[in-house]
């Protein structure tokens, strides 16, 4: 119930409203200057209805726990002829993943022109071929909804850009012009395409900044009107039930001549402002930053507990895949020991595969050049391709591996496909489920989907290799056929997810320590926040049987211990635990 009302109520002077406004002005001033702060802040307060939201808001502390698991899917991954794919997806998710996943990330569902959704034409609409907002909200009845805020750029066919070409509002000042930046020599690129694209406008030829492609034109956040447009979009999404916001390509948001134009201070300040807006409207809402960059740079997006609630754990996919293909967990252990525990209120967003591919930049400085080449050569042998990015000096370097995760784990580095693909695959996900953070499963990983080479041939897009479109009936048949790996993988992963959700020691912020049992065993210890549950998570990442002496686990003798994956109880006379190739054990005292 509101704390205000009546003719004499002075909303503007309410302490909560004043507090929020002061914080908004601080962030705005840090970006646009003190003189402009008051006017821009007033517009933000008005467009987001922040005064009303501030008065009604309550403090939200715990946004996640061990029961949180996210499934990631395109709107049209599962299809039925004659039916909107969002409706088909909703039925599949409800039937198969309700009670398993807590949240669903529906990848870009707005009308778009390229990059499979990440070139948005209209942020307020759902692509008609996919369905409607009502279809999305029906998914939200069973799962927390996560959506992309494609904030760095929009489609060249959007109303904003078409207005830019005609020198009309809204849009004529919404885009970054190359001639306004004297020195572009240090700009960090995620692609090999040209940075600037020439376009013909009503006022002559201009060069617009395109970080990703000529169809994805970068938005000019130096113009506060662009920021206000996204405040309106955020407010609209929150009203429609979106709870988790993925800030796409956020690292590239602000441009400054003579710099890398990535991770700039203004970008961090805008994230802080957006978090304030989002949490004021809905204290339960979450921001996740998508920054496919080396690990140290990625960690900066936690800020001082005032930026991202979660960050994608981008170094995990290449390191974990390399670990399982090499049979050596040394680099994975070194990385994990270097990772600072995410403080309460922050968490890592763990994933192994995505709609794009396996990012290779986050492995820079963690794998040597020869190791990286061994990894990429192996992935190519298993049907994958390597996308490149252009360095400031024009040199091309590996950016990501385009391959389905199931196909990627078909064998070992330097070898051919072997008999351990399913076991290796399940081991990878079992590790992810046990790690500090919130686990996220790309739907094709849950389903064990293989490389879609036909999709690549038809689209000409390397990323299509991991974006297969399942026919609903064919998928259900595959998941009910025990002879097919899809059924074995889906059933096993769901069982392990359900087990994870019951363990307090797997809270995303529970204590984690690395254990040392040699290069072929990746192990760590987790302890619940209230310290009453311990779990020793032990994983054989090799194709040879491993023996773990019980004495080396240092189990407390007065407690009863058991492996919750196998059900085996650790008895007093037991000397060791044997793990079959790619076998796993979660040994707990609860």
């Amino acid at each position: 119930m509101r704390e205000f009302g009546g003719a004499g109520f002075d909303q503007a002077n309410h302490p909560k409203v004043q507090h929020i406004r002061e914080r908004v002005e601080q962030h705005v001033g840090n970006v646009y200057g003190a003189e402009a702060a008051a006017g821009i802040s007033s517009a933000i307060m008005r467009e987001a209805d922040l005064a009303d939201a501030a008065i009604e808001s309550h403090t939200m502390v715990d946004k996640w726990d061990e029961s949180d698991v996210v499934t990631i899917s395109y709107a049209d991954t599962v299809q039925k002829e004659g039916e909107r794919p969002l409706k088909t997806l909703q039925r599949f998710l409800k039937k198969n993943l309700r009670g398993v996943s807590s949240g669903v990330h529906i990848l870009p569902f707005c009308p778009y022109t390229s990059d499979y959704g990440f070139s948005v034409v209209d942020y307020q609409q759902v692509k008609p071929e996919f369905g409607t907002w009502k279809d999305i909200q029906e998914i939200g009845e069973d799962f927390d909804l996560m959506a992309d805020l494609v904030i760095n750029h929009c489609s060249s066919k959007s109303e904003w850009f078409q207005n830019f070409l005609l020198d009309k509002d809204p849009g004529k000042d919404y885009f970054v012009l190359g001639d306004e930046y004297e020195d572009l020599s240090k700009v960090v690129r995620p692609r090999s395409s040209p940075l600037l694209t020439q376009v013909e406008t009503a006022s002559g030829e201009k060069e617009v900044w395109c970080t990703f492609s000529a169809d994805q034109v970068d938005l000019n956040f130096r113009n506060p009107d662009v920021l206000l447009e996204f405040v309106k979009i955020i407010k609209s999404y929150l009203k429609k039930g979106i709870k988790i916001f993925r800030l796409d390509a956020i690292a590239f948001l602000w441009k400054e001549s003579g710099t890398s134009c990535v991770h700039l201070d203004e970008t961090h300040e805008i994230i802080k402002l957006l978090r304030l807006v989002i949490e004021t409207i809905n204290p339960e809402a979450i921001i996740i930053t998508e920054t496919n960059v080396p690990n140290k740079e990625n960690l900066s997006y936690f800020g001082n507990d005032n930026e991202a609630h979660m960050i994608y754990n981008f170094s995990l996919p290449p390191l974990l895949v390399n670990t399982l293909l090499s049979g050596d967990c040394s680099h994975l252990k070194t990385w994990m020991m270097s990772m600072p525990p995410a403080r309460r209120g922050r968490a890592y967003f763990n994933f192994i595969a995505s709609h794009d591919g396996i990012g290779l930049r986050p492995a820079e400085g963690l794998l040597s050049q020869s190791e990286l080449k061994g990894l990429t050569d192996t992935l190519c042998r298993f049907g994958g391709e390597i996308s490149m990015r252009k360095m400031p000096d024009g040199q091309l370097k590996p950016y990501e591996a385009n391959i389905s995760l199931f196909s990627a784990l078909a064998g070992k580095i330097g070898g051919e496909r072997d008999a351990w693909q399913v076991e290796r695959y399940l081991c990878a996900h079992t590790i992810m489920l046990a790690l500090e953070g919130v686990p996220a499963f790309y739907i094709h990983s849950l389903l064990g989907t293989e490389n879609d080479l036909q999709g690549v041939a038809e689209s000409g897009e390397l990323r299509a290799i991991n974006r297969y479109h399942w026919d609903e009936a064919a998928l259900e048949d595959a998941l009910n056929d025990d002879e097919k790996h899809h059924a074995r993988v889906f059933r096993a992963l769901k069982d392990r997810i359900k087990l994870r959700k019951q363990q307090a020691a797997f809270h995303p912020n529970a204590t984690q320590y690395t254990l040392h049992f040699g290069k072929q065993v990746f192990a760590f210890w987790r302890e619940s926040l209230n310290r009453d549950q311990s779990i020793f998570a032990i994983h054989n990442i090799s194709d040879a049987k491993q023996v773990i002496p019980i004495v080396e686990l240092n189990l407390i003798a007065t407690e009863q211990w058991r492996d919750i994956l196998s059900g085996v109880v650790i008895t007093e006379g037991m000397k060791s635990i044997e793990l079959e190739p790619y076998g796993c054990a979660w040994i707990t005292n609860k």
Side-chain angles (χ1 to χ4, degrees):
M1 182 176 293
R2 295 189 180 185
E3 300 176 14
F4 63 94
F9 179 74
D10 185 1
Q11 184 192 59
N13 289 322
H14 190 288
K16 287 186 176 180
V17 175
Q18 288 183 326
H19 176 65
I20 292 297
R21 184 183 177 89
E22 288 171 3
R23 292 179 64 194
V24 169
E25 283 198 24
Q26 178 184 354
H27 295 310
V28 169
N30 288 340
V31 177
Y32 299 104
E35 290 185 8
I40 298 171
S41 298
S42 293
I44 291 172
M45 295 289 291
R46 180 179 65 253
E47 295 294 350
D49 291 332
L50 287 190
D52 284 354
I55 293 169
E56 294 180 341
S57 68
H58 61 278
T59 302
M60 182 71 192
V61 179
D62 294 321
K63 295 176 184 277
W64 48 75
D65 61 25
E66 59 274 11
S67 68
D68 284 299
V69 177
V70 176
T71 295
I72 305 165
S73 178
Y74 278 108
D76 61 347
T77 295
V78 187
Q79 302 180 1
K80 179 181 180 181
E81 188 174 353
E83 183 175 66
R84 296 189 303 260
L86 276 168
K87 181 68 71 177
T88 313
L89 178 66
Q90 187 263 345
R91 183 170 56 249
F92 176 82
L93 293 171
K94 185 172 184 177
K95 176 183 177 182
N96 294 283
L97 292 176
R98 186 166 64 169
V100 179
S101 287
S102 59
V104 171
H105 175 196
I106 307 174
L107 288 157
F109 47 74
C110 299
Y112 66 89
T113 50
S114 64
D115 201 13
Y116 215 74
F118 289 93
S119 183
V120 177
V121 173
D122 186 342
Y123 290 87
Q124 299 285 8
Q125 301 298 319
V126 175
K127 185 176 171 68
E129 293 87 345
F130 290 164
T132 66
W133 273 111
K134 184 175 183 293
D135 296 322
I136 290 174
Q137 288 171 309
E138 285 180 357
I139 295 175
E141 292 174 4
D142 295 300
F143 305 92
D144 291 333
L145 287 173
M146 176 173 167
D148 294 275
L149 194 66
V150 184
I151 193 169
N152 178 71
H153 51 262
C154 68
S155 169
S156 64
K157 300 299 187 292
S158 65
E159 180 185 7
W160 292 344
F161 193 71
Q162 292 303 303
N163 283 347
F164 165 81
L165 297 178
L166 297 172
D167 201 27
K168 288 171 49 179
D169 283 324
K172 67 177 183 179
D173 299 316
Y174 279 17
F175 297 92
V176 183
L177 302 181
D179 62 7
E180 295 179 357
Y181 297 83
E182 183 178 335
D183 180 6
L184 302 180
S185 63
K186 298 178 182 177
V187 175
V188 168
R189 298 300 316 286
R191 298 287 185 273
S192 57
S193 56
L195 176 64
L196 303 178
T197 298
Q198 288 189 342
V199 294
E200 193 66 40
T201 76
S203 55
E205 192 174 82
K206 295 183 179 180
E207 284 188 317
V208 292
W209 191 301
C210 299
T211 296
F212 291 90
S213 76
D215 185 47
Q216 295 164 287
V217 192
D218 284 40
L219 289 153
N220 181 18
F221 275 83
R222 287 181 178 275
N223 180 353
D225 288 341
V226 174
L227 175 64
L228 287 171
E229 293 281 10
F230 277 91
V231 168
K232 291 183 224 176
I233 293 165
I234 286 168
K235 176 187 169 186
S236 173
Y237 281 18
L238 286 164
K239 284 190 172 181
K240 289 180 169 67
I242 303 301
K243 181 180 176 181
I244 309 170
F245 289 81
R246 176 186 183 270
L247 302 188
D248 176 65
I250 189 68
F252 302 96
L253 196 69
W254 195 268
K255 282 74 174 173
E256 198 74 56
S257 181
T259 74
S260 64
C261 297
V262 63
H263 315 312
L264 298 187
D265 291 344
E266 290 84 354
T267 293
H268 286 282
E269 204 67 43
I270 288 173
I271 296 171
K272 294 172 187 176
L273 175 60
L274 295 182
R275 170 168 169 164
L276 176 59
V277 170
I278 288 171
E279 278 196 312
T280 301
I281 298 173
N282 180 3
E284 296 183 8
I286 292 169
I287 284 179
I288 304 180
T289 49
E290 187 266 333
T291 48
N292 189 0
V293 294
N295 195 53
K296 186 177 180 180
E297 298 170 33
N298 192 29
L299 288 168
S300 71
Y301 285 86
F302 275 142
N304 187 21
D305 201 22
N306 56 358
E307 292 189 45
H309 297 97
M310 297 187 197
I311 60 173
Y312 276 80
N313 216 343
F314 272 109
S315 294
L316 179 61
L319 286 179
L320 185 50
V321 169
N322 182 73
T323 292
L324 287 156
L325 295 185
S326 67
D328 184 343
C329 66
S330 300
H331 292 308
L332 187 62
K333 283 201 301 184
T334 298
W335 165 77
M336 192 167 83
M337 287 188 291
S338 73
M339 290 290 282
R343 295 183 182 178
R344 198 76 178 271
R346 315 175 199 175
Y348 296 112
F349 194 69
N350 293 330
F351 72 110
I352 315 176
S354 76
H355 58 285
D356 287 342
I358 300 169
L360 299 174
R361 266 207 85 195
E364 292 176 8
L366 302 173
L367 298 179
S368 68
Q369 288 300 311
S370 62
E371 289 168 329
L372 188 59
K373 187 177 187 307
L375 173 62
T376 54
D377 286 351
T378 300
L379 295 178
C380 289
R381 191 164 61 253
F382 295 153
E385 297 282 353
I386 307 300
S387 295
M388 311 298 283
R389 68 185 181 98
K390 184 176 287 186
M391 303 298 288
D393 62 1
Q395 179 186 1
L396 294 179
K397 291 189 69 174
Y399 180 71
E400 71 182 14
N402 302 118
I403 191 169
S404 89
L405 185 63
F406 188 77
S407 297
L409 295 175
K412 294 176 64 176
I413 288 176
E416 301 300 322
R417 298 174 187 271
D418 59 31
W420 299 107
Q421 186 173 15
V422 170
E423 289 78 8
R424 191 180 287 118
Y425 189 75
L426 293 177
C427 179
H429 287 97
T430 305
I431 290 171
M432 182 184 76
L433 282 168
L435 284 170
E436 175 193 351
V438 174
F441 289 81
Y442 184 41
I443 193 167
H444 286 302
S445 294
L446 281 173
L447 304 175
T449 309
E450 298 165 291
N451 288 337
D452 183 11
L453 299 179
Q454 182 178 344
V456 174
E458 291 175 353
S459 68
E461 297 283 342
L462 294 180
R463 287 175 166 178
I465 200 167
N466 198 23
R467 298 175 180 176
Y468 181 71
H469 295 99
W470 278 98
D471 172 76
E472 183 186 28
L475 177 56
E476 290 292 348
D477 287 346
L479 296 181
N480 290 316
D481 185 349
D482 290 340
E483 296 298 314
K484 293 186 175 179
H485 74 267
H486 306 289
R488 294 159 57 200
V489 163
F490 194 50
R491 188 178 303 119
L493 290 179
K494 287 205 299 181
D495 287 345
R496 293 188 185 187
I497 291 170
K498 290 176 182 177
L499 273 177
R500 174 218 156 78
K501 290 163 71 77
Q502 299 168 13
Q503 315 306 320
F506 285 153
H507 186 287
N509 297 110
T511 299
Q512 176 173 287
Y513 285 116
T514 308
L515 303 176
H516 302 279
F517 294 111
K519 294 181 178 181
Q520 296 179 313
V521 177
F522 183 59
F524 46 93
W525 175 73
R526 303 293 309 278
E527 183 183 54
S528 60
L529 297 176
N530 63 6
R531 305 183 70 178
D532 70 341
Q533 184 186 26
S534 292
I535 294 180
F536 292 86
I538 308 170
H539 315 88
N540 179 2
I541 52 87
S542 77
D543 57 4
K545 181 183 291 187
Q546 300 295 316
V547 178
I548 313 297
I550 294 290
V551 66
E552 292 188 16
L553 291 176
N554 197 26
L555 303 180
I556 299 173
T558 57
E559 296 182 342
Q560 181 68 65
W561 297 85
R562 64 189 178 93
D563 174 14
I564 54 177
L565 292 179
S566 67
V568 171
V569 175
I570 308 300
T571 60
E572 186 176 345
M574 191 178 293
K575 300 295 184 184
S576 62
I577 297 168
E578 291 189 356
L579 294 180
E580 296 298 323
Y582 305 104
C584 306
W586 288 347
I587 299 172
T588 182
N589 58 343
K590 287 289 184 181

